[in-house]
Structures are given as structure tokens and as C-alpha cells.
Amino acid sequence: MPMSELTGNPGSTRWYGDFQVAEGFTRLWAVGPMRLRVHHGHNEWRLLREQDPDPWLERFELDYSDDPALVPDGDKLQRVVLGTPDSKVHVELRTADRPVVSRPVSPLSIPGKESARVYVSTPVWVRVTLGESHHLMLEQPSYRLSDTWFGPNNMEGEICYATRSRFRLALSEQVRSPSRIITPVQIRNQADDPLVLDRLNVPMPWLPLYGDGEGNLWTPEVGLIRREDGDLAELRFKDQPPRECGGATRLSPARHTGRQHTVFRAFTDLLRG
Amino acid sequence: MDTWFTTITQFFTVGPGGNLIQAGLILVGGFLIGRILANLVGRIPSTHLDRHMGLILRRVIFYGILLLAFTSALHQMGFKLGVLLGAAGIISVAIGFASQTSASNLISGLFLVWERPFSVGDTIRVGTTVGEVVSIDLLSVKLRTFDNLFVRLPNETLIKTEMTNLSRFPIRRLDLQIGVAYKEDIKRVRKVLDEVATANPLCLEEPKPQFLFLGFGDSALNLQFNVWAQRENFLEMRNSLQIEIKEAFDREGIEIPFPHRTLYAGSVTDPFPVQVVSGDKNEP
């Protein structure tokens, strides 16, 4: 008779942090569209991340069982062979490893000298490491985003992710899920002419991740200022949770730390009108 | 016996033998120093020096030092370099006629290095050959094709003919030629194609997929669907997208027709007679 322990409330149950997986047992995380299984076998670990085609799937199910039916298998299985008898698994959440491009529901216009606050929702990246030495076993997004190109032409630019969720003017309208991160973006148009906003490039790898008591994930507020000359954009962010979350703890640092706080980039690198 | 020994000793000390040994040592020393310095350049990480420049620098250092060692060795052996260079001028005219192709390749190689249309590691297409550049040498460029064949292309050919670098830009476009039956609703076909492209994570959202109606073909409505992918994912996207399009067409009942011919007997003639035969396959 297999032993099983099932939990399922994103508000009260943390699905990230440290977990014990004894030999012969499998731990399952089914959070949003992602279904992740980690099995501790004899001298090996088996990891499998599966994805539901529906990015908005509302699901929160954590399981810990020695049921053989839960043991991951298949083509996409990742096997890690380790001689150490460690059984502690760390599940760490991170922001996306590339900038994410988001669009409004329909193009927005911000008149000169005006500002707007929008909310961008992006999937969280899950990083599974093992033991005290934190051997990396898997790092995958909770939902694989489409690739996109962001640049002034097809020769210059960078590969980003495109999120299918639109950015919203009201936080209540944005998709809330324990597997998604909310980034508030404050856009200020200091130029005289209106800014018609068609796409927004959010520099996720430069942002740390915060988690609040209700299971929501946040990044710091990103400030985007279109300067008076209209050609340069200023990007600002501080390492502190946004005001909307009402107190949160830092879950992981930013992936890149090279150019923090204030960055001047070509206007077309961050915003496309 | 003593005379023989003295003759040999004199040959190697005051005679031409000593110079020969010294010249030999200079050559060997130059070869070793060139090798060591070239290897040191090879150890510079690719973050500081790309593969292409590293390869060129290694060759310049090695052959430069070898040339210096060779001229020093000749000098040691008593050759007068001025006279040699004069003689080399005359000889080079003769050699130049004899080795026109090699000289042309050599000069073309210098132009290739200067113009830098591709680097080591890039994928290029020359004529019908597509492959990854393995090395750029003085006389030729070596490619490794995707079926793992080694191809040597003379530098002169590369200068003269059209060459396409498939690795220059980070994104590439895939042009899919699709034919659908005349009965199909084009708008619906377009919607299905857009949905398939949106669902495929390797297919870039921007630049947007492009739908083109090419014309009325013999058997099908000819369409073209242009989608973009990251260069590294191009082949994987080409495979997965075509499979997904076929699956989506099957699911939606969209027909991809075979070439067919309609036989028409003309308006004034009677229709072709059709005879229905028994469907019993067991009948002899």
C-alpha cells in the first residue's frame, strides 16, 4: 500500500524551499500549467517537467508518495546519478533568463508629460538543486514562452520571450497564479509628443524575485522614463518589493547584476511605439 | 685513424659542418619557439579573442618565426641574403608563371581575411555545398558538411562565386510552400496556420508570421507561410512546424491535394460511360 501525502492551498502551503525526498519516494508539484516530479531512486534521481497546453490552468497540487505510478519516465526524463546519499532537494524560484516582451490588449497612448502604471505577468523559472553542495539538476520555466525578436530591424536586436498575457492597467485584471510573477512598470513620458505603446520589454534577468504571504510572486517596480529628446529611455529599478504586495521576502537575487538601478538604453530597445 | 678523426673534428669546428649544425639548430629552435608561441595564443579564451582571429594570429606567429629562422639559418651557412633576394626575384617570375593558381589562392585568402565575410564556426553555402567552416587557410577554406564530409574550397573560388553566410544574423526565415484544395476557405486555412505558429514556442512572435497567396495552381491553391526562428533552432522549428501543420490540417479537415487531371470530353460529347463492378475482392 503506497504512502501518500497530498496538500493543495497556494495561500498557506509553500511550494518552494527545502524538501526531503527519501529513497524510493517521489515528490510532485502540479502548479499552474507545470507538473514537476522528482523521484529519488537507488543512486539516481529522476526528474520530469511536463507542461499543460493551457497557460492559464489553475492547479495547485503537491504530493509526496512512494506510489510506483508516480515515478517519472519517458523521452524527456532527466536522470542524475549521484553517489552521495543526500535526500534534501531545494526548489528555488527565479525570474526569466531573457527579457520578456509584453503587449497591451490594444495599443496604449500616453500623452506628453504624463505617466501610466501597468502590470506584466510572466511565468516563474523553477530551479531544482540537490543537497548541501546544491548540485543543479533542473532549471525550467513553469510555462515555456514563445521566442520573439526585439530590435529596430532584423539584424540588430535580441532574442526575448513573448508572453501571451497582455499587460494591464489594473492589478485586479492581471492573471494571478502561484506560478506567475507580477512586475509593476511605471512608464513616464517626458517628451512632448504622445507615446503610443505597442510593446514593452521587461528586463527580467536583472530583477530579483519576492514572495508575499499569500503565495504571490513579485519583482521590484521597474521605472521606464522616455526622455525629453524622445530617443533615449531610462530604466530604473530598486532592490525592494513593490508597494502593491504589502511586504514580501526576497526569494532569489537577480540573474544579472551588471547594470542595475539606472540604465540608459536606446528608446527602441525598451519600448516600441 | 687520427687523421680521419682530425678531419671530422675540423669539418664540424672550423669547416662548413659547424655552420650546418648551427643553421640546423636555428631552424629547430625557430620551429619550437614558433610552435610554443602559437600554442600560447591558442590558449587565449574565446571571450578575449574569437576563433577566427585566434587561428589567423597563430598562423602569422608560427610562419613569421619560421621565416626568420630560415633566413638566419641561410645567413649562418654563409649565403648572402641580398644576392639570394635578387636571385629570388628572377626565380619568383619563373615560379609565378608555374604557380599562378597557388598565388591567386594565396592573394584571395588575404582578401578573405581582410573582408571577413565569414568566421570559423559559421555555416556557409557555396554553390550546392553547405557546411560549417572548420579552418581558413592560406590556399583554401575547409568545410565540414552536415553529412560529415570534408570539403576543401580554394580561396579563389570563394572570391569569385556567390557565397551565402547562414550564420551572420541571429534570426532566419523559413518559407513554407503549402497547397490546399480549391474547396477550402482561405481565411480558415490562414487562421489555422496562425494558430499553429503561435502554439510553437520556437516560432518567433515578432517578426510576425507572413501569409502569402501565391496563386491558382494546377491542382491546388498555392500559399506561402513565412515564419521566423532563432538561427540555432531553425532546423528543429522547420521539422516541428511542418508536422504540426499537417496534424492541424488533418484535424480541421483541410485537404492537401495530390496533382490531378480532370478529363473532359467536351460539351458536345456524351459523358464518359461509368460501369459499376462488384466489390467482392475474393472473386477471382
Side-chain angles (χ1 to χ4, degrees):
Chain A
M1 181 72 183
M3 285 171 61
S4 187
E5 172 194 307
L6 194 70
T7 46
N9 181 1
S12 59
T13 313
R14 270 169 71 117
W15 64 282
Y16 45 86
D18 294 346
F19 297 91
Q20 289 289 337
V21 185
E23 193 173 319
F25 276 74
T26 306
R27 204 169 264 281
L28 169 113
W29 292 263
V31 182
M34 180 194 72
R35 189 168 184 262
L36 173 69
R37 280 180 285 164
V38 176
H39 172 75
H40 187 181
H42 181 63
N43 281 345
E44 71 156 352
W45 289 81
R46 288 172 162 241
L47 299 100
L48 182 66
R49 173 202 163 269
E50 293 156 301
Q51 177 176 300
D52 192 273
D54 177 14
W56 318 122
L57 184 68
E58 285 185 27
R59 179 170 63 171
F60 191 85
E61 186 190 327
L62 307 183
D63 196 0
Y64 181 61
S65 165
D66 60 352
D67 185 353
L70 268 184
V71 177
D73 209 351
D75 297 343
K76 292 181 178 170
L77 177 74
Q78 276 180 256
R79 293 176 74 190
V80 181
V81 178
L82 283 170
T84 52
D86 236 324
S87 58
K88 194 196 265 181
V89 166
H90 314 275
V91 175
E92 194 187 346
L93 305 186
R94 306 289 292 265
T95 52
D97 55 2
R98 283 190 227 147
V100 177
V101 176
S102 186
R103 290 171 178 278
V105 178
S106 55
L108 281 177
S109 176
I110 304 171
K113 312 293 181 196
E114 288 292 329
S115 65
R117 192 174 181 82
V118 299
Y119 298 92
V120 180
S121 167
T122 54
V124 72
W125 259 242
V126 181
R127 184 182 162 92
V128 183
T129 57
L130 178 74
E132 297 304 319
S133 47
H134 286 262
H135 289 294
L136 178 64
M137 297 203 289
L138 175 139
E139 184 166 355
Q140 296 269 332
S142 60
Y143 185 82
R144 169 71 165 94
L145 295 170
S146 278
D147 291 338
T148 191
W149 180 250
F150 198 91
N153 54 50
N154 292 343
M155 294 185 289
E156 302 163 55
E158 63 181 325
I159 289 283
C160 302
Y161 291 116
T163 171
R164 281 159 76 182
S165 68
R166 306 293 183 171
F167 65 75
R168 306 279 177 167
L169 289 167
L171 182 59
S172 55
E173 290 174 4
Q174 192 51 278
V175 184
R176 306 294 285 275
S177 158
S179 67
R180 294 189 80 88
I181 308 168
I182 301 281
T183 304
V185 183
Q186 185 77 32
I187 304 163
R188 194 173 305 147
N189 183 14
Q190 287 183 341
D192 291 328
D193 55 319
L195 163 64
V196 181
L197 199 59
D198 176 41
R199 296 199 292 162
L200 179 63
N201 184 346
V202 186
M204 294 306 285
W206 281 269
L207 299 175
L209 184 66
Y210 289 91
D212 68 12
E214 293 170 10
N216 297 313
L217 303 171
W218 302 86
T219 67
E221 173 189 316
V222 175
L224 277 175
I225 300 163
R226 185 192 183 207
R227 285 156 65 91
E228 282 183 33
D229 54 16
D231 291 334
L232 272 179
E234 189 178 322
L235 173 72
R236 283 182 185 168
F237 42 89
K238 290 177 186 163
D239 194 352
Q240 62 185 45
R243 61 174 189 254
E244 285 86 348
C245 69
T249 50
R250 195 161 180 257
L251 300 180
S252 63
R255 287 174 183 271
H256 303 318
T257 51
R259 42 171 195 179
Q260 279 207 352
H261 307 307
T262 303
V263 181
F264 292 93
R265 290 172 77 178
F267 174 70
T268 47
D269 285 354
L270 298 165
L271 304 153
R272 287 289 295 275
Chain B
M1 183 69 187
D2 277 353
T3 322
W4 180 75
F5 184 73
T6 315
T7 314
I8 289 177
T9 316
Q10 277 179 348
F11 179 80
F12 282 111
T13 48
V14 291
N19 286 340
L20 264 178
I21 288 174
Q22 281 178 16
L25 285 174
I26 288 170
L27 264 181
V28 172
F31 179 81
L32 288 176
I33 291 169
R35 255 288 166 70
I36 290 164
L37 285 178
N39 282 343
L40 280 178
V41 171
R43 287 184 190 175
I44 296 174
S46 57
T47 46
H48 291 80
L49 188 74
D50 69 36
R51 277 170 70 190
H52 180 85
M53 282 310 292
L55 197 78
I56 292 165
L57 203 61
R58 278 210 319 264
R59 296 243 157 86
V60 166
I61 286 173
F62 179 70
Y63 288 112
I65 289 173
L66 207 63
L67 187 73
L68 275 177
F70 184 68
T71 47
S72 302
L74 286 178
H75 186 70
Q76 186 63 38
M77 286 194 294
F79 287 99
K80 287 202 165 47
L81 288 179
V83 177
L84 269 180
L85 286 175
I90 299 161
I91 294 166
S92 64
V93 174
I95 293 174
F97 277 111
S99 60
Q100 263 187 38
T101 315
S102 303
S104 164
N105 278 322
L106 192 76
I107 291 162
S108 303
L110 292 175
F111 277 111
L112 275 180
V113 168
W114 172 62
E115 194 186 355
R116 213 174 163 176
F118 52 83
S119 304
V120 174
D122 281 2
T123 304
I124 61 167
R125 179 170 57 215
V126 182
T128 54
T129 309
V130 181
E132 183 193 345
V133 179
V134 179
S135 74
I136 302 166
D137 295 326
L138 285 177
L139 298 179
S140 64
V141 167
K142 274 91 175 181
L143 298 186
R144 185 188 68 83
T145 63
F146 294 119
D147 48 351
N148 219 21
L149 300 178
F150 182 83
V151 181
R152 180 186 174 279
L153 291 168
N155 286 339
E156 195 187 353
T157 314
L158 280 165
I159 288 283
K160 278 180 180 169
T161 57
E162 183 185 302
M163 185 276 303
T164 310
N165 188 342
L166 306 177
S167 310
R168 177 54 70 90
F169 301 123
I171 53 172
R172 271 186 75 184
R173 196 178 80 177
L174 169 70
D175 296 349
L176 281 176
Q177 309 282 335
I178 303 164
V180 294
Y182 269 85
K183 66 179 171 64
E184 302 299 346
D185 177 1
I186 298 293
K187 284 180 188 163
R188 193 165 135 261
V189 173
R190 183 177 186 169
K191 188 167 165 276
V192 170
L193 288 172
D194 281 338
E195 281 169 2
V196 171
T198 306
N200 189 321
L202 302 180
C203 177
L204 296 188
E205 196 214 31
E206 191 80 28
K208 284 189 175 61
Q210 204 177 18
F211 178 89
L212 296 172
F213 185 87
L214 295 180
F216 302 97
D218 288 344
S219 313
L221 297 168
N222 293 330
L223 313 172
Q224 185 170 313
F225 193 52
N226 302 337
V227 283
W228 291 79
Q230 207 178 334
R231 192 182 64 215
E232 294 80 10
N233 298 333
F234 186 77
L235 284 179
E236 196 185 337
M237 194 270 277
R238 189 166 77 177
N239 265 342
S240 60
L241 196 74
Q242 294 195 85
I243 292 167
E244 285 158 15
I245 287 174
K246 174 73 174 67
E247 284 170 355
F249 278 12
D250 288 349
R251 198 171 50 243
E252 297 288 328
I254 295 169
E255 186 191 342
I256 302 174
F258 298 105
H260 55 255
R261 288 272 178 275
T262 305
L263 295 177
Y264 178 52
S267 57
V268 291
T269 59
D270 292 330
F272 287 109
V274 175
Q275 189 182 0
V276 179
V277 291
S278 166
D280 189 355
K281 287 178 184 169
N282 294 327
E283 215 171 84

